[in-house]
Structures are given as C-alpha cells and as structure tokens.
Amino acid sequence: METRNRILGATLDLVESGGYAAAGLNQVIATSGAPRGSLYFHFPEGKDQLVGESIRRAGQAVGDAFEELAGSSASMAEFVEGILRHLGDRLEESGWRKGCPVATVALEMAATSDPLHQACSEVYTSWAAALRERLSGRADADDLSVTALALIEGALLLAKAHRSRRPLEQVAGQLAALLR
C-alpha cells in the first residue's frame, strides 16, 4: 500500500505541475522511487488508470477540506470564502504550480480518454454536490452550485496565470453577494 500511495502521489505532483504528458511512466517511477514492476502491478490498465486514480484521490482530499469548512462556516458565503482561501493557500505554497488538481487533465485529456473523462466528471460532480448541499432549501441550488464551482475554477486559473490571489479574492466577494 505504501508503494501504491507513493506512485499516486508522484503522479499527481507531475500532473499538477506539468500536465498529463509530464506524468510519463518513467518520470513516475523516478519521482516515486517505486520499482517498475510495482507500477504495472498496481495499475495494470496503464497510465490512464494511474492518472485517473490520482485525480480521484486529490478530488477526495479537496472534498474532505470542503466538508471540514462546511462544519466550521456559518454561512454559504463564509464556506465559499474558506474554499477559495484553502485553494489559494495550496496554490501559493506550491509556487503557483498547483491550482485545481483536476483542471489540467480535464482540459488536456477528458475529450480523448474515457477513463479520464469519467474521473474528472466524478470529482467535479462530487464538488458540485458539496456546494449544493450547503444551498439546500433554495430553488436555485442546482444552478448556483455549478455557477459557484465554475467561478472557483476560473478564479484558480486566473490566480495561477497572474501568480496572484487577487482573482480568488474578487470571486469570493462576488460569490458572497450572489449567495445572499
């Protein structure tokens, strides 16, 4: 299990900092320190299985942060501000390399790889569900959850491109107003 975890962690690091192409199997082996045989043992379906599972794992970690923030936030606005702060911290601490753990693969590969399309879709669906749960009781909860997620994703992309938290702060303010 430890080897599998190292392989998944190395894959996610490579994908987040350089995209799908940067997570070549040789790079994953070198970064993880795992023997080549372990890679094929744990991920017999190849690179798409490996990348898909790393995306799901990262998605779950972000989802766990959403749950933690949901428990400590009084309002939806505070919840969304907390999400943006958490993701902004993660982005800034990585030297502006690690934005959304799903977006790069979604942009590069979801249209051409069914396994990766499925992984990206599952993660985004779970995040939208977490947002929708906080909006329960509102007639527009479904639409607002997708809108909030799209704004969060866009803000992360802009923050990464500008190497600035300002887009995250701007979106937090606009979402707070929208979610009143």
Side-chain angles (χ1 to χ4, degrees), residues 22-84:
L25 298 182
N26 290 332
Q27 289 89 348
V28 171
I29 291 166
T31 302
S32 69
R36 183 172 297 280
S38 293
L39 185 69
Y40 298 108
F41 173 77
H42 290 292
F43 306 96
E45 295 170 34
K47 183 175 176 178
D48 283 1
Q49 178 189 13
L50 173 61
V51 172
E53 288 191 34
S54 70
I55 287 170
R56 284 183 180 95
R57 176 179 281 200
Q60 181 62 51
V62 172
D64 291 346
F66 280 17
E67 282 186 36
E68 186 177 318
L69 288 165
S72 64
S73 303
S75 70
M76 183 62 179
E78 287 176 1
F79 175 59
V80 171
E81 287 170 0
I83 289 170
L84 286 160

Side-chain angles (χ1 to χ4, degrees), residues 1-9 42-43 53 57:
M1 190 61 130
E2 178 187 331
T3 300
R4 187 175 201 285
N5 288 336
R6 280 196 340 258
I7 292 170
L8 286 169
H42 290 292
F43 306 96
E53 288 191 34
R57 176 179 281 200

